[in-house]
Structure formats: C-alpha cells, structure tokens
Amino acid sequence: MPAHTHYLWFNTNRRQEIIDITDEVAEQLQLSGIREGFALVSAMHISASVFVNDHESGLWQDILRWLEERIAPWDPTRYRHNETGEDNAAAHLRSLTVGHEVIVPITDGRLDLGPWQRVFYGEWDGQRRKRVIIKLLGDR
Amino acid sequence: MPAHTHYLWFNTNRRQEIIDITDEVAEQLQLSGIREGFALVSAMHISASVFVNDHESGLWQDILRWLEERIAPWDPTRYRHNETGEDNAAAHLRSLTVGHEVIVPITDGRLDLGPWQRVFYGEWDGQRRKRVIIKLLGDR
Amino acid sequence: MPAHTHYLWFNTNRRQEIIDITDEVAEQLQLSGIREGFALVSAMHISASVFVNDHESGLWQDILRWLEERIAPWDPTRYRHNETGEDNAAAHLRSLTVGHEVIVPITDGRLDLGPWQRVFYGEWDGQRRKRVIIKLLGDR
C-alpha cells in the first residue's frame, strides 16, 4: 500500500488568515498515483486549523469575526497560557474548535469532495513559518 | 488493500435534524468484507456534520438548541455570507464546530465503537438533497 | 497491510482532566513495526475528547475554564438530556466541540507531529473507567 507525504509551508502577512489549499492537495494526489484511499491534511501547529468549507470571501470574514466574538476572544489577559510570555491562547482554543486536520476520501484518482467543498488552512497566529502535512494512503 | 465506497442520500423534512446512520455504516462494512481498517463517514456538504455521540432524543434537542443559542445563532443579518443571497452562514459555522466527518475503527469485521457510541448525520440546512460518503479502507 | 489495535484505560481522580497520551501512542507505534501510515486515536465514550495541542499546564486550565464559561456550562438544569437522570449533557457538548478522535500521520516509523504537538485525552465526565482506542494502519 503506497504512502505519499508532502509538507506545505506558509508565512502569512496577517496574523489570522484563511487560505484555500485544495489545488495543492489535488496536485499531490496526482503525483502519488493513488486511485483509492484517504488524504490526510493536517496542520503541524497548535495555533492553526485545517477544515473543509466554502470558497466564499464573505464567509471567511464571518469565520474570523465569529472566532473572535463568540468562540475565543484574543484578549491575552483572559488566559493563564499567556503568563508563559505567549499571547496566543485564543489561537489554541480556535484550533481546538475548528480542528487541525481533515481526511478527504480519494475515489477513482480524484479528491471525492462535494460540489462546494474545498480544503482550507486557517492560520490563527501567523506572520511566521508554519507547516501542513499532506499524507496520502491507498492503492494505485 | 480493498476500498469500498457508498453514498447515502438525505432530504430532511425539517431544516435542522439529527439522524442516526450507524446501521447504514455497519451494513456497508458487512458488504465490503473488510475485517481490519478505518471507516470514513463524511458529509459532502458545507452546512452539515457527521459526528459520534449518544442515541438519546433529549440530547439531540439540547444539541440543536445549543447550536442556536450558544454556538452560531441563525439570524441572517449577522453574517457577510448572507449578502450573497444565502441565509445559511450559521449552518457553515455549526459544521465547523461539530465537524463534517468521523473515522470509525474496524476491528474483527465490526465497527469498533464504545457501548454508547453511535454515528450521526447532523443536517443544519436541509429540506433538499444532501449526501454523505462512507468509505472503508483496510484488509479482508 | 498490517493493522495494530490497543485500548488505553483511564479512571481519573477529577471529573474533568487533561492527560498527555503521546508516549502511549508512540509505544504502540514501536510495537506495531509500522513505518508509513495513519494512527487513529479515538475516545470510546461520548463525554470525552482526544485532541492535539500543547503540553502546557496553564493552557490546560484555560481549556477547562473555556469549556465551562464559553462553550457548555455544566449547569444540569439547562439540558433535556439531564431529564434522563444524567447530569452530563455539557460533557457531550464539549466532546462535540473539541472532537473525540485524531489521526496522526506515521512517517519513517515515527509519529509525524509538529515540534509542539502532543496528543491528549480530555476527560469531561470522569471518576469512572473509560477507554481510548489506538488503531494503526499502514505498511511495515
């Protein structure tokens, strides 16, 4: 059973940002030659997410605002973690809520996504080098 | 390594609804003949979830109320996404919170779930045709 | 394609607790001999989580407080589920938010985690025996 592994690197201009990485995942699938299996796409950091949702810029703004207003406000004074000298406890909580990985099914050599599904990297504490692993497992 | 793929279709009467799909997943496992591996159960839509929890109707009501009151109120005026003519931004945020997929382990030819664990489809914007993919990977 | 299955048992002193289980997962990987594949780590209960985040005790306190104050207050009077005689509906909602499983990639015979990533069991309703399944799938 062949496996194929690739690391994507990011260094966002903004501290919070949502990036569509579907094409990068599809490219690795093509390189791997895998026809049936699973594609794991997983952030290698504890202040970022990988998720499947909609390619619509209004929604991306909604997600960023919702994370700030409803899920985990950035405000560093709220959190014990920030006593370590960090200020990014909220980024950790956002990563826990949205999740840090997805599994995309591979069928007939393509990503078996629904018509509106795309794969995104959610950077919750950026402006530095971060990494996502794409790991494909299956049969050629 | 054999793979087995099946698509479940839904068209719920209510806009939000929770449906137990464990038996459908177990049926596909039996058809596949797989003895050891992973079962991916994944919504193919960005306004739905798949999750593992408890078969208890009071809890399902709790989940629907909690999504509305605490996680992401439906109110379309709150969201930029709804400027596109949609009114379902909240369904997207609920999908992000609860997740859109699970992996169930397969051991000795059965779904290796805990005593109270069941697999659910969570419809957050229904009354139209939606789909879940069941994809099994492993050894016979 | 070999599979390797192991069950971890817990019985926490406190009702809510966060436990680092990375070493236990790595030990099973070594026993399995798998070099390339996926490690599924999944709670077998509906009132617990498995997640990847940071080994930092201040953050663990932040997570427990955030679950209580922002995500799902324990208060049993809020929930229909608790009419069944249970008082743990909040634990179910916390499990849905944080998730009950992760997939860790296996590369070159090791857990392919980022530098700060560790695997945790999150007990949201403990003081009784609970279980996590570790299931590895891949190639030796």
Side-chain angles (χ1 to χ4, degrees), chain A residues 78-101:
Chain A
R78 289 173 182 253
Y79 306 108
R80 301 289 303 270
H81 180 55
N82 296 335
E83 295 168 13
T84 63
E86 299 275 3
D87 72 343
N88 68 354
H92 293 254
L93 301 175
R94 295 170 191 193
S95 172
L96 286 185
T97 306
V98 177
H100 76 288
E101 50 159 67

Side-chain angles (χ1 to χ4, degrees), chain A residues 1 35-38 51-59 61-63 65-66 70-71 96-99 101-108 110 112-118 137-139, chain B residues 1-5 7 38-40 42-47 68-73 78-82 84 89 92-101 103 131 133 135-137:
Chain A
M1 183 187 52
R35 305 284 307 165
E36 291 289 326
F38 292 158
F51 59 93
V52 165
N53 216 280
D54 192 1
H55 190 99
E56 199 280 293
S57 61
L59 182 69
Q61 292 177 52
D62 290 331
I63 293 169
R65 185 145 52 103
W66 168 74
R70 190 161 276 263
I71 298 301
L96 286 185
T97 306
V98 177
E101 50 159 67
V102 296
I103 296 270
V104 181
I106 302 166
T107 305
D108 275 341
R110 62 187 171 75
D112 201 351
L113 293 165
W116 300 100
Q117 287 186 309
R118 303 280 296 175
L137 197 69
D139 268 340
Chain B
M1 183 188 51
H4 175 91
T5 307
Y7 304 93
F38 292 157
L40 171 69
S42 182
M44 300 189 78
H45 299 267
I46 51 196
S47 52
E68 173 61 29
E69 291 177 8
R70 191 161 276 262
I71 298 300
R78 288 173 181 252
Y79 306 109
R80 300 290 304 270
H81 180 54
N82 296 336
T84 62
H92 294 255
L93 301 176
R94 295 170 190 194
S95 172
L96 287 184
T97 304
V98 177
H100 77 288
E101 52 160 61
I103 296 271
R131 217 171 15 146
I133 182 170
K135 184 142 199 149
L136 314 174
L137 198 68

Side-chain angles (χ1 to χ4, degrees), chain B residues 8 19-29 41 51-53 55 104 111 113 116-121 134:
Chain B
L8 280 183
I19 300 167
D20 189 327
I21 59 173
T22 317
D23 291 345
E24 283 81 356
V25 179
E27 188 188 343
Q28 293 305 316
L29 174 53
V41 187
F51 59 94
V52 166
N53 217 279
H55 190 100
V104 181
L111 298 175
L113 292 165
W116 299 102
Q117 286 185 311
R118 304 280 296 175
V119 183
F120 294 93
Y121 175 64
I134 300 171

